[in-house]
């Protein structure tokens, strides 16, 4: 008869302690989830050209002097695909079907942006990506023409257009 009250007296504080420990672990888990979502949705800082991996993409012969003739990809956020010819359209993203796959850059969407030819000029447009596409440090709201020396940033990867 004395053992039941003794067990109840000892068990109550232990159960209360386990409840608090469970709640603390639950709150820590929720904070980690919120932090992970925040990091994914936060717009990446402007990438500056730094010593990194370079990929040069040669384009076909062109008549417009202001248009770029090659694309140099400075990869700070992830690896880049093999050399590619910049033809009529180049899709940039993490999805395997993209022309330029940046699978290790976590700030790049599956289909992030596309560079396409219109007449003798190349244009860039954001494809509804989470973090947006920057052209010379400004977020794109519509398709914009590309000129020699322009910098396009997708995620943490910087693309520079050269002749």
């Amino acid at each position: 008869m004395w053992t039941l009250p003794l067990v109840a007296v000892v068990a109550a504080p232990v159960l209360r302690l386990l409840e608090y420990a469970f709640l603390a672990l639950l709150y820590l888990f929720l904070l980690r989830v919120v932090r992970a979502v925040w990091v994914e949705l936060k717009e990446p800082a402007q990438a500056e050209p730094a010593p990194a991996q370079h990929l040069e993409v040669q384009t076909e012969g062109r008549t417009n002097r202001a248009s770029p003739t090659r694309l140099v990809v400075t990869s700070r956020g992830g690896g880049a695909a093999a050399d590619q010819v910049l033809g009529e359209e180049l899709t940039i993203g993490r999805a395997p079907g993209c022309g330029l796959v940046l699978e290790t850059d976590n700030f790049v969407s599956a289909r992030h942006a596309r560079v396409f030819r219109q007449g003798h000029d190349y244009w860039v447009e954001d494809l509804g990506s989470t973090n947006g596409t920057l052209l010379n440090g400004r977020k794109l709201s519509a398709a914009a023409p590309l000129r020699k020396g322009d910098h396009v940033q997708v995620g943490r990867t910087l693309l520079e257009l050269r002749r």
Side-chain angles (χ1 to χ4, degrees):
M1 188 169 200
W2 287 96
T3 59
L4 186 58
L6 182 59
V7 169
V9 168
V10 172
V14 171
L15 286 175
R16 181 67 61 188
L17 182 64
L18 288 174
E19 287 176 8
Y20 288 134
F22 176 75
L23 285 174
L25 288 173
L26 183 64
Y27 282 122
L28 284 173
F29 173 75
L30 289 175
L31 286 173
R32 294 279 295 174
V33 168
V34 168
R35 182 184 177 278
V37 169
W38 178 261
V39 167
E40 284 294 320
L41 293 179
K42 187 175 72 169
E43 189 170 317
Q46 172 72 24
E48 296 180 16
Q53 176 184 4
H54 289 285
L55 167 70
E56 295 190 5
V57 181
Q58 297 289 337
T59 61
E60 301 161 0
R62 312 248 318 172
T63 58
N64 189 346
R65 289 252 182 237
S67 294
T69 59
R70 60 188 180 125
L71 177 68
V72 178
V73 180
T74 304
S75 183
R76 289 186 52 185
D83 290 351
Q84 300 185 26
V85 173
L86 188 57
E88 293 299 313
E89 182 174 331
L90 175 67
T91 307
I92 303 164
R94 290 192 322 197
C98 292
L100 180 59
V101 179
L102 302 169
E103 61 189 14
T104 57
D105 188 344
N106 293 329
F107 292 97
V108 174
S109 297
R111 288 181 30 91
H112 195 100
R114 76 178 181 125
V115 176
F116 61 97
R117 183 186 293 182
Q118 191 170 40
H120 291 290
D121 295 323
Y122 280 106
W123 291 65
V124 63
E125 94 178 309
D126 185 70
L127 297 175
S129 64
T130 303
N131 294 317
T133 302
L134 303 176
L135 176 59
N136 296 324
R138 294 184 184 211
K139 197 168 189 174
L140 287 177
S141 57
L146 293 172
R147 300 288 178 247
K148 181 179 84 172
D150 282 350
H151 294 273
V152 177
Q153 182 179 344
V154 291
R156 290 186 173 166
T157 303
L158 185 67
L159 312 167
E160 183 181 348
L161 292 120
R162 298 181 184 167
R163 280 201 85 31

